[in-house]
Amino acid sequence: MSEQATIALPPTGLQWRALSGRTVRAAIREGDLAFGFLAPMIFFMCFYVPLRHSMERSGMNYAQYLLPVIVLQGMFFTAMSAADRAALDTSSGMGTRLRSMPVRPWVPMAARMSANASRALVAIAGALVIGSIFGFRFHDVGTAVVFVVLALLFAVGVVIGADVVGTATGNPEIGGQILLLPQLLLIMASTGFVPAEGFPGWIQPIVRWQPVSVCSDALRALSAGRYDSVGSALAWAVALIVVFTAVSARIGRRAR
């Protein structure tokens, strides 16, 4: 009697925990999580100190105005780290090895995403710590929770896109650098630092409706206890997630 050998797949949860833990441990060992916490503090001070007095002449609480874009900038830095990590996995052959093992195809990316989510939470924590020192406050607990969830959804969208870039390039030296200019343009040409009226008239519509501005405005409203622009920000976040997930799935099918 002939018997056909079968390979039992390890539990999916065990696969996910092992790969996610590997990425988190590497981030701790390399100081990436520490940088993720400190970077929002540094950038908050870089913009708050020189702009505070000019912005507060109109009665604005600039810490309250500025913090949302610092949070989003932290999500972009998380995405750049994600691109580097995905590129490293590709260049080291880790992705190829995993595809030859009894690991479900979606598990490696899911593990990277959960590890990146932990880094995003660390970045949000760093931003909130420095913001609270200079007067940033939430109106209530409910909108504070929505604030964090919306920031994480934005992070998921940009991190999936960054993961695609890193996987496609396979070069950890350029994976994150490719994203530097796009994220810089989106951050600087947004309502994160100054209102749309502070830009030339011809570019104001672009500034007002690009994703960083919409999400910054929504986070700013949530910190004040309102839900203005949350629907538009959610639409942007979902669109980013859907588009980049489709691209990632296409690249994954080609790699198999």
Side-chain angles (χ1 to χ4, degrees):
M1 183 178 63
S2 62
E3 295 182 358
Q4 184 176 3
T6 59
I7 300 177
L9 284 174
T12 301
L14 183 61
Q15 296 177 354
W16 169 77
R17 285 195 299 273
L19 292 174
S20 180
R22 165 183 171 269
T23 303
V24 171
R25 287 191 297 273
I28 295 172
R29 184 173 61 253
E30 297 165 6
D32 190 42
L33 280 185
F35 176 77
F37 183 78
L38 294 174
M41 299 183 176
I42 295 169
F43 281 93
F44 181 94
M45 295 303 298
C46 287
F47 290 102
Y48 182 80
V49 172
L51 296 177
R52 173 192 173 189
H53 291 296
S54 60
M55 297 299 293
E56 290 189 347
R57 287 173 186 167
S58 61
M60 174 191 297
N61 181 337
Y62 194 52
Q64 202 76 20
Y65 187 92
L66 177 64
L67 189 79
V69 78
I70 298 300
V71 169
L72 296 181
Q73 192 174 43
M75 303 304 96
F76 276 119
F77 281 128
T78 298
M80 293 172 66
S81 174
D84 289 339
R85 187 67 58 187
L88 182 62
D89 281 354
T90 300
S91 65
S92 66
M94 183 68 179
T96 302
R97 289 196 296 273
L98 288 174
R99 285 192 294 272
S100 68
M101 297 170 65
V103 176
R104 298 183 188 280
W106 55 267
V107 169
M109 183 177 180
R112 290 197 300 270
M113 287 300 303
S114 60
N116 290 324
S118 67
R119 191 191 189 282
L121 282 170
V122 167
I124 293 172
L128 293 179
V129 167
I130 191 67
S132 65
I133 291 173
F134 287 90
F136 177 85
R137 296 291 184 271
F138 285 112
H139 182 270
D140 56 68
V141 174
T143 49
V145 172
V146 179
F147 180 105
V148 173
V149 170
L150 183 58
L152 287 175
L153 284 174
F154 181 85
V156 170
V158 296
V159 164
I160 294 174
D163 190 273
V164 169
V165 171
T167 301
T169 61
N171 188 339
E173 295 182 0
I174 66 172
Q177 294 178 13
I178 291 176
L179 302 174
L180 181 60
L181 182 59
Q183 69 93 12
L184 184 62
L185 289 174
L186 285 171
I187 290 288
M188 298 307 296
S190 75
T191 58
F193 301 112
V194 297
E197 292 74 21
F199 291 85
W202 63 271
I203 201 175
Q204 285 184 16
I206 298 174
V207 169
R208 187 173 285 111
W209 293 109
Q210 59 113 321
V212 172
S213 292
V214 173
C215 290
S216 292
D217 293 343
L219 294 177
R220 200 172 292 122
L222 285 167
S223 69
R226 307 190 313 273
Y227 289 85
D228 305 354
S229 303
V230 171
S232 299
L234 185 61
W236 263 117
V238 170
L240 291 172
I241 293 170
V242 170
V243 170
F244 289 135
T245 298
V247 175
S248 177
R250 185 178 181 86
I251 291 176
R253 285 195 297 270
R254 286 181 177 178
R256 289 197 292 272

